[in-house]
Amino acid sequence: MLEACLPVLAVLASLCGFALLALGQDRHWSAVTGLDEGQRVPSAQLRGSGLAAQAVACALWVIAEGPGFGALLWGVSTTAAAMTIALTLTWRPQWLKALGHFLKPRA
């Protein structure tokens, strides 16, 4: 059962990682949350979390498929995740609103 869940978790980690990396940019943060640039989570925190999520995705692929094929699948899944997040931000940025709401700084 765990072997079947690892690839799904790896793809989800990659999607979340790229979403966090994208929200680290002022333009994307404003499009998703509607907040001004002064009212946002620091981009270093978002980018660090995004890179950590990508590292988790790589580790999950390596655990699931071994170092050779796992690294290849990680590269393929990161490409698909990056395209998915880019297209989501282009056409439906409101779909990432839940993530932006979760990351909003509290007053």
Side-chain angles (χ1 to χ4, degrees):
M1 178 68 181
L2 183 61
E3 294 97 22
C5 292
L6 287 178
V8 173
L9 291 174
V11 170
L12 289 175
S14 191
L15 280 168
C16 289
F18 276 113
L20 289 169
L21 286 169
L23 289 177
Q25 298 179 6
D26 296 337
R27 178 178 50 190
H28 298 311
W29 179 263
S30 297
V32 169
T33 62
L35 294 177
D36 293 334
E37 294 175 10
Q39 302 174 319
R40 57 185 214 78
V41 174
S43 61
Q45 180 184 5
L46 288 171
R47 290 178 184 161
S49 299
L51 290 175
Q54 292 301 325
V56 167
C58 182
L60 289 172
W61 275 119
V62 168
I63 290 168
E65 300 294 336
F69 196 56
L72 175 70
L73 288 174
W74 176 69
V76 171
S77 69
T78 56
T79 302
M83 290 297 296
T84 301
I85 295 299
L87 293 172
T88 301
L89 285 169
T90 301
W91 286 312
R92 299 278 192 258
Q94 65 270 17
W95 287 0
L96 296 176
K97 195 170 211 129
L99 183 60
H101 179 72
F102 177 72
L103 298 171
K104 263 189 217 178
R106 306 292 185 246

